[in-house]
Amino acid sequence: MVSFESDYIAGAHPEVIKRLAETNLEPLEGYGSDKYCECAKKKIKEAVGKDNTEVEFLAGGTQTNAVIISTMLSDWEAVIAANTGHISLHEAGAVEYTGHKVIALAQKNGKLDSDALRVYLRDFSADDNREHMPIPGMVYISHPTEYGTLYSKKELKTISDICKEYSISLFLDGARLGYGLMSYDTDLTLKDIAEYCDVFYIGGTKVGALCGEAVVFTNGNKPKHFLTSIKKRGALLAKGRLLGVQFDTLFTDGLYFKISRHATDMAEKMKALFVSRGYKFFIDSPTNQQFIILENEEMEKLKEKVRFGFWEKYDGEHTVVRFATSWSTTENDLNALEMALDGKE
Amino acid sequence: MVSFESDYIAGAHPEVIKRLAETNLEPLEGYGSDKYCECAKKKIKEAVGKDNTEVEFLAGGTQTNAVIISTMLSDWEAVIAANTGHISLHEAGAVEYTGHKVIALAQKNGKLDSDALRVYLRDFSADDNREHMPIPGMVYISHPTEYGTLYSKKELKTISDICKEYSISLFLDGARLGYGLMSYDTDLTLKDIAEYCDVFYIGGTKVGALCGEAVVFTNGNKPKHFLTSIKKRGALLAKGRLLGVQFDTLFTDGLYFKISRHATDMAEKMKALFVSRGYKFFIDSPTNQQFIILENEEMEKLKEKVRFGFWEKYDGEHTVVRFATSWSTTENDLNALEMALDGKE
Amino acid sequence: MVSFESDYIAGAHPEVIKRLAETNLEPLEGYGSDKYCECAKKKIKEAVGKDNTEVEFLAGGTQTNAVIISTMLSDWEAVIAANTGHISLHEAGAVEYTGHKVIALAQKNGKLDSDALRVYLRDFSADDNREHMPIPGMVYISHPTEYGTLYSKKELKTISDICKEYSISLFLDGARLGYGLMSYDTDLTLKDIAEYCDVFYIGGTKVGALCGEAVVFTNGNKPKHFLTSIKKRGALLAKGRLLGVQFDTLFTDGLYFKISRHATDMAEKMKALFVSRGYKFFIDSPTNQQFIILENEEMEKLKEKVRFGFWEKYDGEHTVVRFATSWSTTENDLNALEMALDGKE
Amino acid sequence: MVSFESDYIAGAHPEVIKRLAETNLEPLEGYGSDKYCECAKKKIKEAVGKDNTEVEFLAGGTQTNAVIISTMLSDWEAVIAANTGHISLHEAGAVEYTGHKVIALAQKNGKLDSDALRVYLRDFSADDNREHMPIPGMVYISHPTEYGTLYSKKELKTISDICKEYSISLFLDGARLGYGLMSYDTDLTLKDIAEYCDVFYIGGTKVGALCGEAVVFTNGNKPKHFLTSIKKRGALLAKGRLLGVQFDTLFTDGLYFKISRHATDMAEKMKALFVSRGYKFFIDSPTNQQFIILENEEMEKLKEKVRFGFWEKYDGEHTVVRFATSWSTTENDLNALEMALDGKE
């Protein structure tokens, strides 16, 4: 059955698999010190285009969030996130497992509300009891957000300025970063992100890799003894090559961006299928995730022909569902979706 | 340069890569609920041949040790290990990061000394202050050990019996399990291990996989809500297929055992090269890791022609080094080693 | 200067100090196994009046919350609290430090909104992604709340019923329990609380003791090896007598209740002083904490004559402040307050 | 029955109780910001006699060890201790609960063996795998040790020099510091300790207080936001006065030292009772704890007349037991012991 259930339904981009096969028998050093990791880091730094950056690889999104947040926060600090943020809701308490609180603030369209952030930090600074509260040490945002939305350059700058004002670091979760950068409706570049954030990651798992996220520290701020801290969290792969070869491939000849653009194109076409048939959207998303409000009975019927993701109840008779494209989505998939929507076989 | 540095210098067994490529574009469910994971679990259960077993996949050895130990211990419990055990020494404090103490006891040839274990548990039980000490809740052993040695069936039974006497669970770290099972000098089978241990894992990373360890719970004792606990530790891969396909391949037609036997054969031949030239061994290992005592000057010379691992200082003039074979070791590699030992090009 | 800043501005009730002095040189066993601890536990059980209860002592409120929550939750569980709950806001992330998330839900008058609780648990149970979320394992409420308000018997039963429906334990933080029980506006008894809650504590620090909270497990559910878990958290006092003697005294001849009633009486008189002068209250509190909305300039003036606590900004020109009575508040204190309010010396 | 079971069998020194009573009703600020805490800190700094010191109070020994170690170590670091050290054995894994490994090294007479320390650090620095091991960040010693023994000035300097060479901080657990400083067999002063250690604590619980330890940071190295970190660990007392008044009293007119000297005098007399009767000592202790080897049958008889502590089995027929004096030991106690030893009523 055709599936739009998520952006991790397929393996890796075929070029990635090919390179894994080609390099497979080369004897390489372990733990990320091999030449492919080195090469991938170099290419990513070039793509980011900012001096003084450092790159490290981790295996998955929740792991990356927990490792970055817990190694960059001081003992007494907490991280701020939108109450819809991935770390607030869908990581099984992974950040809290490292001993740090996630302070959930209001969101707008899935994006952290900069007014709420400003008010929180201002009030915190003025609070006589602030020594009895975890001290905000980092702001976490995701881009695209969990709802597929994007921060504009101005919005990101605003949050970045607030963080600077309060000497708080800004961390951008880019699990789907490619799909954000290659949206037709964004003015935010990779370079901007490196400029405004202290640390961010370029998601691989959802954008062409079997697994892997590339963390970019943007101002010489990689935590000391980071490898030891990664190991301590059980997050160090013996065969670092698995991550190195994948990111080396993705950042050769712009593959990461090309396949992200493909997903965007597929999403736009998919969106058009829904729009032209009068479907209602839960939110206006310019990226690969589209959220549709389905009448429950129709949802049940559609389930028989196409796979998609349950998101949340809308009301007693409607449900919000997610259709996601990815680098692996094909025209055939869209055709199958179109037929399903039209009730054809 | 030919390398015997470790048993994780190569990628995956070519058959594994082939299957990853073949299944690559199939849309599959995430987080380990795909059909390849299911199939791999079934095959592993068959290989283990014991009722009431459950199998779960994790990405790496340190991660697996930390996840298993921390989800199976109660709050007040600690894990006992040989003072040379991997969790005692080389995991950057990953078990302690989960809040549990590793109690290090004496070893013999890299194996936990069962007499030391018995004495410790007896004395602990009689200690008036035992409520002020972490209560032993699990015994950790590795098989093969970090020194390549193996527990005999009798030795494992002895430890298992002690554990049962004190109601403590027994966990066997099988990061190199294949190389142990397919040694020519063992009477311990996979079935025995399942019989004597409460939980163990079948190592993939060092035995044919890019990454991945298959945890086997042997008596219906998989921790409740295990997926949530894995996620909470940042150890859940979105594309569980990466582990499922690899283990499915390794446990099809006995591939795991065949390639392990190959490593053993290569190790025996390698051993013969050293023996026939009068090299001294630090320990008598019947598995893929061989520990040689090299005179320091000779070590430096050899380094120019072949890669191997530093282990520890022996004395002022000698060093213990490790030569490891694996499924990827070839006759060519051995020829190159032979020439290096003989000072030829 | 007269102080209504908090309910922990004085030492212990004089009777408590007297008993500490009287018993001071008796040689006693350590770690809570002395006869005063035993006696205090017995008296508390009698006051609670429910079979199968167990009592343990800890030193302070945040410590108690962290110890109880982390020893009663399973690895994969989180605790639910009102977003104004002490554990949500004012404990520096102590619960998260133990590795568990605090899920903050809406409140009404400082009380956890039972509708919000019901909806959350219902939706959670229906959520396809619930395995990726921390599983609610406990509900935390405080009584009196941080705003001095009280749950009615019906309200507590409602929450208790919801917890039972979802097999979640209910924990009542009674840091100020005496002031709640002895309010003139409550229908909730100690026995009710023991009936509806799985665990609660009777606060000593704020109600007559130098330090100390008495935890009551209401149905044979004291965590196993609790002493070891307490020690592991650094919360075990060598001289357990310090807690035993205090609670023994407080629960002799109903002292705990008498001094709580005194605080209530003082609060009612204090309230009358404000009411008769037309002050506005931020919230209607029937206990020892009263929250007044002061015009900022007046607040500054009042500060020169009486101490009180800053609570939060009300608007640009007004501030919410807290005046707390306690067992130690005297008529003289009230007279001083009256004169301060009237601008007299 | 007369008791030498431990040095925490009595309450507080009567002068301490008196001051608690005298100051009891004064309204004071919470959380250690009261004037008695300030005053006590000042007096302790004067006693220590070193510039740039900072003093903070905590409630108990295990708590203090866990708080100090976990706030002073970096994420990737571990603490080194003698394998007989309190944190190695008798704190229920409290340090590990904070996520840090305790590396146990050899001891001599209960003291960390400086040769073992030097070798460990040298080998660690040379180990190719050191990034995979927790990095030593602190050395923990206790003075007096768990066996009542004392470091000489030279021994402490040696350890301090090693720590400096490897940029590791040195932490001295002074749970019984008074008894060490006032031994007749020591050349180590409080000033020396402040000179050689980065942080240490002056034990109150075992030396005259109901509870409380005074932590001294010796070179401006108090962790940032220390109060928040203390609160986060559940270790902040609302009524900080309880600790302030006690230490203020103990450091007024040298009370702490006088009562420590008294315990030493009592210990010397007690020792003489045993020596003159031909008892064998397990270890030669110049402080308040004496370890005697008793024949088991005699031990059982003695138990009926005097309380003492079980320490460890010596052999099949003998047991090591502990007799401790303290500030509260009286001549009457010694008389009773003498009669017990002589089999009189």
Side-chain angles (χ1 to χ4, degrees):
Chain A
M1 197 191 297
V2 67
S3 174
F4 295 88
E5 197 175 11
S6 74
D7 34 22
Y8 43 90
I9 56 166
H13 188 275
E15 189 64 26
V16 168
I17 295 289
K18 186 167 151 253
R19 287 297 292 152
L20 283 173
E22 285 170 357
T23 61
N24 186 49
L25 292 179
E26 293 177 22
L28 293 177
E29 287 171 315
Y31 304 112
S33 54
D34 64 274
K35 64 183 178 188
Y36 294 105
C37 283
E38 282 318 297
C39 191
K41 289 178 183 183
K42 200 167 153 246
K43 287 174 183 169
I44 288 171
K45 283 187 216 174
E46 282 167 12
V48 168
K50 183 173 182 293
D51 287 345
N52 209 15
T53 58
E54 294 156 294
V55 178
E56 293 291 337
F57 301 114
L58 287 161
T62 295
Q63 179 179 92
T64 301
N65 289 335
V67 168
I68 294 306
I69 291 169
S70 66
T71 55
M72 293 189 71
L73 288 186
S74 290
D75 178 77
W76 56 86
E77 291 179 334
V79 60
I80 291 174
N83 55 24
T84 49
H86 210 254
I87 60 168
S88 301
L89 282 184
H90 286 114
E91 301 195 345
V95 170
E96 291 84 357
Y97 187 63
T98 72
H100 295 279
K101 190 178 188 73
V102 179
I103 298 168
L105 297 187
Q107 51 84 28
K108 279 185 185 161
N109 291 324
K111 294 183 270 185
L112 178 65
D113 181 347
S114 59
D115 289 333
L117 176 63
R118 190 181 286 109
V119 168
Y120 182 83
L121 292 173
R122 191 194 60 205
D123 287 357
F124 181 87
S125 299
D127 193 325
D128 281 358
N129 288 314
R130 66 183 177 280
E131 280 188 307
H132 297 261
M133 301 162 80
I135 299 172
M138 177 184 268
V139 168
Y140 162 99
I141 56 174
S142 38
H143 181 86
T145 69
E146 295 71 15
Y147 285 92
T149 51
L150 293 172
Y151 289 86
S152 69
K153 189 166 170 172
K154 193 178 156 199
E155 287 171 335
L156 184 60
K157 184 175 185 314
T158 300
I159 290 179
S160 179
D161 286 346
I162 297 172
C163 288
K164 284 200 179 72
E165 185 184 342
Y166 288 94
S167 300
I168 286 174
S169 60
L170 177 56
F171 168 36
L172 183 147
D173 170 343
R176 297 182 169 94
L177 190 58
Y179 304 141
L181 293 173
M182 301 314 287
S183 166
Y184 289 101
D185 197 16
T186 185
D187 62 349
L188 203 54
T189 65
L190 190 52
K191 199 156 191 166
D192 293 332
I193 289 171
E195 189 61 38
Y196 293 132
C197 300
D198 296 283
V199 58
F200 67 96
Y201 70 92
I202 300 170
T205 301
K206 285 161 181 162
V207 192
L210 279 164
C211 64
E213 323 295 319
V215 183
V216 183
F217 300 94
T218 65
N219 44 42
N221 56 337
K222 189 177 86 168
K224 280 206 289 180
H225 294 290
F226 194 56
L227 187 138
T228 307
S229 289
I230 291 175
K231 178 104 181 182
K232 181 175 180 173
R233 284 152 178 83
L236 187 63
L237 290 183
K239 295 183 179 170
R241 67 194 297 155
L242 171 57
L243 304 176
V245 170
Q246 292 188 95
F247 274 100
D248 186 45
T249 308
L250 289 169
F251 278 82
T252 298
D253 298 334
L255 182 62
Y256 187 79
F257 302 100
K258 282 180 207 162
I259 66 177
S260 295
R261 173 55 59 96
H262 170 77
T264 305
D265 288 336
M266 293 292 106
E268 290 301 318
K269 287 186 181 178
M270 181 177 72
K271 203 189 227 174
L273 293 180
F274 285 108
V275 168
S276 64
R277 280 161 185 80
Y279 283 90
K280 273 199 244 164
F281 288 74
F282 179 64
I283 201 165
D284 184 23
S285 157
T287 61
N288 73 311
Q289 299 182 89
Q290 298 296 324
F291 299 87
I292 320 285
I293 303 169
L294 291 183
E295 194 276 326
N296 289 345
E297 207 169 317
E298 183 182 8
M299 179 177 72
E300 293 305 321
K301 262 192 214 153
L302 202 53
K303 257 190 199 170
E304 294 165 18
K305 296 189 177 154
V306 57
R307 299 189 63 171
F308 48 87
F310 167 86
W311 206 249
E312 61 190 68
K313 284 193 183 182
Y314 185 72
D315 59 27
E317 288 157 33
H318 297 80
T319 302
V320 180
V321 298
R322 181 183 70 174
F323 285 78
T325 64
S326 79
W327 58 270
S328 69
T329 307
T330 62
E331 294 282 354
N332 275 350
D333 293 335
L334 292 179
N335 291 341
L337 173 60
E338 185 167 16
M339 291 180 70
L341 291 176
D342 294 343
K344 299 183 190 160
E345 277 311 295
Chain B
M1 197 189 299
V2 67
S3 174
F4 294 87
E5 197 175 12
S6 75
D7 34 22
Y8 42 89
I9 55 166
H13 187 275
E15 189 64 26
V16 168
I17 295 288
K18 187 167 150 253
R19 285 298 290 152
L20 282 173
E22 287 170 358
T23 60
N24 187 49
L25 292 180
E26 293 176 21
L28 293 176
E29 287 171 314
Y31 305 112
S33 54
D34 63 275
K35 64 183 179 188
Y36 294 105
C37 283
E38 281 319 296
C39 191
K41 288 178 183 183
K42 200 168 152 244
K43 288 174 182 169
I44 289 171
K45 284 186 214 173
E46 283 167 12
V48 168
K50 183 173 181 296
D51 286 345
N52 210 13
T53 58
E54 293 155 296
V55 178
E56 293 291 337
F57 302 114
L58 287 162
T62 295
Q63 179 179 90
T64 302
N65 289 335
V67 169
I68 294 306
I69 291 168
S70 65
T71 55
M72 294 190 70
L73 288 186
S74 291
D75 178 76
W76 56 85
E77 292 179 334
V79 59
I80 291 174
N83 55 25
T84 49
H86 209 254
I87 60 168
S88 300
L89 282 184
H90 286 113
E91 301 194 346
V95 170
E96 290 84 357
Y97 187 63
T98 72
H100 295 279
K101 191 179 188 76
V102 179
I103 299 169
L105 297 185
Q107 51 85 26
K108 278 185 183 161
N109 291 323
K111 295 183 271 186
L112 178 65
D113 181 348
S114 59
D115 289 333
L117 176 63
R118 190 182 284 108
V119 167
Y120 181 83
L121 291 173
R122 192 195 58 205
D123 288 357
F124 181 87
S125 299
D127 194 326
D128 282 357
N129 289 313
R130 65 183 177 280
E131 280 189 307
H132 297 261
M133 300 161 80
I135 298 172
M138 177 183 267
V139 167
Y140 162 98
I141 57 175
S142 38
H143 181 85
T145 68
E146 294 72 15
Y147 284 93
T149 51
L150 294 171
Y151 289 86
S152 69
K153 189 167 170 173
K154 194 179 155 196
E155 287 172 335
L156 185 59
K157 185 177 185 313
T158 300
I159 290 179
S160 179
D161 286 347
I162 297 172
C163 287
K164 283 201 179 70
E165 185 183 342
Y166 289 94
S167 300
I168 287 174
S169 62
L170 177 57
F171 169 36
L172 183 146
D173 170 343
R176 296 182 170 95
L177 191 58
Y179 304 139
L181 293 172
M182 301 313 287
S183 165
Y184 287 102
D185 198 15
T186 185
D187 63 349
L188 203 54
T189 65
L190 190 52
K191 199 156 190 166
D192 294 331
I193 288 170
E195 188 61 38
Y196 292 132
C197 300
D198 297 282
V199 58
F200 67 97
Y201 70 93
I202 301 171
T205 301
K206 286 161 180 162
V207 192
L210 279 165
C211 64
E213 323 295 319
V215 184
V216 183
F217 300 94
T218 66
N219 43 42
N221 56 337
K222 190 177 85 167
K224 280 204 290 182
H225 294 291
F226 194 55
L227 187 139
T228 307
S229 289
I230 291 175
K231 177 102 181 182
K232 182 176 179 172
R233 284 152 178 83
L236 186 64
L237 291 182
K239 295 184 179 169
R241 68 197 294 155
L242 171 57
L243 304 175
V245 170
Q246 291 189 95
F247 273 100
D248 186 45
T249 308
L250 289 169
F251 278 81
T252 297
D253 298 334
L255 182 62
Y256 187 79
F257 303 100
K258 281 179 206 159
I259 66 177
S260 294
R261 173 55 59 95
H262 170 77
T264 305
D265 288 337
M266 293 291 106
E268 290 301 319
K269 287 186 180 176
M270 180 177 73
K271 202 189 228 175
L273 292 179
F274 285 107
V275 169
S276 64
R277 280 161 185 78
Y279 283 90
K280 272 199 246 170
F281 287 73
F282 179 64
I283 203 165
D284 184 23
S285 156
T287 60
N288 73 311
Q289 299 183 89
Q290 297 297 323
F291 298 87
I292 321 284
I293 302 169
L294 290 183
E295 194 276 326
N296 288 345
E297 207 169 317
E298 184 182 8
M299 179 178 71
E300 292 306 322
K301 263 193 212 154
L302 202 53
K303 259 190 199 172
E304 294 165 18
K305 296 187 177 156
V306 56
R307 299 190 63 171
F308 49 86
F310 167 86
W311 206 249
E312 60 191 68
K313 284 193 182 182
Y314 185 74
D315 59 26
E317 287 156 34
H318 297 80
T319 301
V320 180
V321 299
R322 182 183 71 173
F323 284 78
T325 64
S326 80
W327 58 270
S328 69
T329 307
T330 63
E331 294 282 354
N332 276 350
D333 294 335
L334 292 178
N335 291 340
L337 173 60
E338 185 166 17
M339 290 181 69
L341 290 177
D342 293 344
K344 298 181 189 163
E345 279 312 297
Chain C
M1 196 188 301
V2 67
S3 174
F4 294 88
E5 196 175 12
S6 74
D7 33 24
Y8 41 90
I9 55 166
H13 188 274
E15 189 64 26
V16 168
I17 295 287
K18 186 168 151 252
R19 286 297 291 152
L20 282 173
E22 286 171 356
T23 61
N24 187 48
L25 292 179
E26 294 176 21
L28 294 176
E29 288 172 315
Y31 305 111
S33 53
D34 63 275
K35 64 183 178 188
Y36 294 104
C37 283
E38 281 318 297
C39 192
K41 288 178 184 183
K42 201 169 152 245
K43 288 175 182 169
I44 289 171
K45 283 186 218 175
E46 283 167 12
V48 168
K50 183 174 182 293
D51 287 344
N52 209 14
T53 58
E54 295 157 294
V55 178
E56 294 292 336
F57 301 114
L58 287 161
T62 295
Q63 179 179 91
T64 302
N65 289 335
V67 168
I68 294 306
I69 292 169
S70 65
T71 55
M72 294 191 70
L73 287 187
S74 291
D75 177 77
W76 56 85
E77 291 179 334
V79 59
I80 290 173
N83 55 25
T84 50
H86 209 253
I87 60 168
S88 300
L89 281 185
H90 286 115
E91 301 194 348
V95 171
E96 290 85 357
Y97 187 63
T98 72
H100 295 279
K101 190 179 190 75
V102 179
I103 298 168
L105 297 186
Q107 51 85 27
K108 279 185 185 162
N109 292 322
K111 295 183 270 185
L112 178 64
D113 180 347
S114 60
D115 289 333
L117 176 63
R118 190 181 285 110
V119 167
Y120 181 83
L121 292 173
R122 192 195 58 204
D123 287 356
F124 181 87
S125 299
D127 194 324
D128 282 356
N129 289 314
R130 67 183 176 279
E131 281 189 304
H132 297 261
M133 300 162 80
I135 299 172
M138 176 183 267
V139 167
Y140 162 98
I141 57 175
S142 38
H143 181 85
T145 68
E146 295 71 15
Y147 285 92
T149 52
L150 293 172
Y151 289 85
S152 69
K153 189 167 169 173
K154 193 178 156 199
E155 287 171 334
L156 185 59
K157 184 177 184 313
T158 301
I159 289 179
S160 179
D161 287 346
I162 297 173
C163 288
K164 282 200 181 71
E165 185 184 342
Y166 289 94
S167 301
I168 286 175
S169 60
L170 178 56
F171 169 36
L172 184 146
D173 170 342
R176 297 181 169 94
L177 190 59
Y179 304 139
L181 293 172
M182 301 314 287
S183 167
Y184 288 101
D185 197 14
T186 185
D187 61 350
L188 203 55
T189 65
L190 191 52
K191 200 157 189 167
D192 294 332
I193 288 171
E195 188 60 37
Y196 293 133
C197 300
D198 297 281
V199 58
F200 66 97
Y201 70 93
I202 301 170
T205 301
K206 286 161 181 162
V207 193
L210 280 164
C211 64
E213 323 296 320
V215 184
V216 183
F217 300 94
T218 65
N219 44 42
N221 56 337
K222 189 177 86 166
K224 281 205 289 181
H225 294 290
F226 194 56
L227 187 138
T228 306
S229 289
I230 290 175
K231 177 102 180 183
K232 181 176 179 172
R233 285 153 178 81
L236 186 65
L237 290 184
K239 295 184 179 170
R241 68 196 295 153
L242 171 57
L243 304 176
V245 171
Q246 293 188 93
F247 273 100
D248 186 45
T249 309
L250 289 170
F251 278 82
T252 297
D253 298 334
L255 182 62
Y256 187 79
F257 303 99
K258 283 180 207 161
I259 65 176
S260 295
R261 173 55 59 95
H262 171 78
T264 305
D265 288 337
M266 293 291 106
E268 291 300 320
K269 288 187 180 178
M270 179 175 74
K271 205 189 225 173
L273 292 179
F274 285 107
V275 168
S276 64
R277 280 161 185 78
Y279 284 89
K280 271 198 245 167
F281 288 73
F282 179 64
I283 202 164
D284 183 25
S285 158
T287 62
N288 73 312
Q289 299 182 89
Q290 298 295 325
F291 299 87
I292 321 284
I293 302 169
L294 290 184
E295 193 276 326
N296 288 345
E297 209 169 314
E298 183 181 9
M299 179 177 72
E300 292 306 322
K301 265 193 211 152
L302 202 54
K303 259 190 198 172
E304 293 165 19
K305 297 189 176 155
V306 57
R307 299 189 64 172
F308 48 87
F310 166 86
W311 205 249
E312 61 191 68
K313 283 194 183 183
Y314 184 72
D315 59 27
E317 286 157 34
H318 297 80
T319 302
V320 180
V321 299
R322 182 183 71 174
F323 285 78
T325 66
S326 79
W327 58 269
S328 70
T329 307
T330 64
E331 294 281 354
N332 276 349
D333 294 335
L334 291 178
N335 291 341
L337 173 61
E338 185 167 16
M339 291 181 69
L341 290 176
D342 292 344
K344 298 183 189 160
E345 276 314 295
Chain D
M1 195 187 301
V2 66
S3 174
F4 295 88
E5 196 176 11
S6 74
D7 33 22
Y8 42 89
I9 55 167
H13 189 274
E15 189 64 27
V16 168
I17 295 287
K18 187 168 150 254
R19 287 296 291 153
L20 282 174
E22 287 170 356
T23 61
N24 187 48
L25 292 179
E26 294 176 21
L28 293 176
E29 289 172 313
Y31 306 110
S33 53
D34 64 274
K35 66 183 178 189
Y36 294 104
C37 282
E38 281 319 298
C39 192
K41 289 178 184 183
K42 199 168 151 247
K43 287 174 182 169
I44 288 172
K45 283 187 216 174
E46 283 167 12
V48 168
K50 183 173 180 296
D51 287 344
N52 209 15
T53 58
E54 294 154 295
V55 178
E56 294 292 336
F57 301 114
L58 287 161
T62 295
Q63 179 178 91
T64 301
N65 289 334
V67 168
I68 294 306
I69 291 168
S70 66
T71 55
M72 294 190 69
L73 288 186
S74 291
D75 178 78
W76 56 85
E77 292 180 333
V79 60
I80 291 173
N83 55 25
T84 50
H86 210 254
I87 60 168
S88 300
L89 282 184
H90 287 113
E91 301 194 349
V95 171
E96 290 85 357
Y97 188 63
T98 71
H100 294 279
K101 189 179 190 75
V102 179
I103 298 168
L105 297 186
Q107 51 84 27
K108 279 184 184 163
N109 292 323
K111 294 183 270 186
L112 178 65
D113 181 348
S114 59
D115 289 334
L117 176 63
R118 190 182 284 110
V119 167
Y120 182 83
L121 291 173
R122 190 194 61 204
D123 288 358
F124 181 87
S125 299
D127 194 324
D128 281 357
N129 290 313
R130 67 183 176 280
E131 282 189 306
H132 297 262
M133 301 162 79
I135 299 172
M138 177 183 268
V139 167
Y140 162 98
I141 57 175
S142 37
H143 181 87
T145 68
E146 294 72 15
Y147 284 93
T149 52
L150 292 172
Y151 290 85
S152 69
K153 188 166 171 174
K154 193 179 156 197
E155 286 171 336
L156 184 60
K157 184 176 186 313
T158 299
I159 289 178
S160 178
D161 286 347
I162 297 172
C163 288
K164 284 201 179 69
E165 185 183 341
Y166 288 94
S167 301
I168 286 174
S169 61
L170 178 56
F171 169 36
L172 184 146
D173 171 342
R176 297 180 169 95
L177 190 58
Y179 304 139
L181 293 172
M182 300 314 287
S183 165
Y184 289 101
D185 197 15
T186 185
D187 61 349
L188 203 55
T189 66
L190 191 52
K191 200 157 190 166
D192 294 332
I193 288 171
E195 187 62 38
Y196 293 132
C197 300
D198 297 281
V199 58
F200 67 98
Y201 71 92
I202 300 171
T205 301
K206 287 162 180 162
V207 193
L210 279 164
C211 64
E213 323 295 321
V215 184
V216 183
F217 300 94
T218 65
N219 43 43
N221 56 337
K222 190 177 85 166
K224 281 204 289 180
H225 294 290
F226 194 56
L227 187 138
T228 306
S229 290
I230 290 174
K231 178 102 181 182
K232 181 175 180 173
R233 284 153 178 82
L236 187 65
L237 290 183
K239 295 184 180 170
R241 67 196 295 153
L242 171 57
L243 304 176
V245 170
Q246 292 188 94
F247 274 100
D248 187 44
T249 308
L250 289 170
F251 278 82
T252 297
D253 299 334
L255 183 61
Y256 187 78
F257 302 100
K258 282 180 206 159
I259 66 178
S260 295
R261 174 54 58 96
H262 171 78
T264 305
D265 288 337
M266 292 292 106
E268 291 300 319
K269 287 186 181 176
M270 179 176 74
K271 202 188 226 175
L273 292 179
F274 285 109
V275 167
S276 65
R277 280 159 183 81
Y279 284 90
K280 271 199 246 170
F281 288 73
F282 178 65
I283 202 165
D284 184 25
S285 157
T287 62
N288 73 312
Q289 299 183 89
Q290 298 296 324
F291 299 87
I292 321 285
I293 303 169
L294 289 184
E295 194 276 325
N296 288 344
E297 209 169 314
E298 183 181 9
M299 179 177 71
E300 292 305 322
K301 264 192 214 155
L302 202 54
K303 261 190 198 172
E304 293 165 19
K305 297 188 177 157
V306 57
R307 299 190 64 172
F308 48 87
F310 167 87
W311 206 249
E312 61 190 70
K313 283 194 183 182
Y314 185 74
D315 58 28
E317 289 158 31
H318 297 80
T319 302
V320 181
V321 299
R322 182 183 71 173
F323 285 78
T325 65
S326 80
W327 59 269
S328 70
T329 307
T330 64
E331 294 282 354
N332 276 350
D333 294 335
L334 292 178
N335 291 340
L337 173 60
E338 186 167 15
M339 290 182 70
L341 290 176
D342 293 342
K344 298 180 188 162
E345 278 313 294

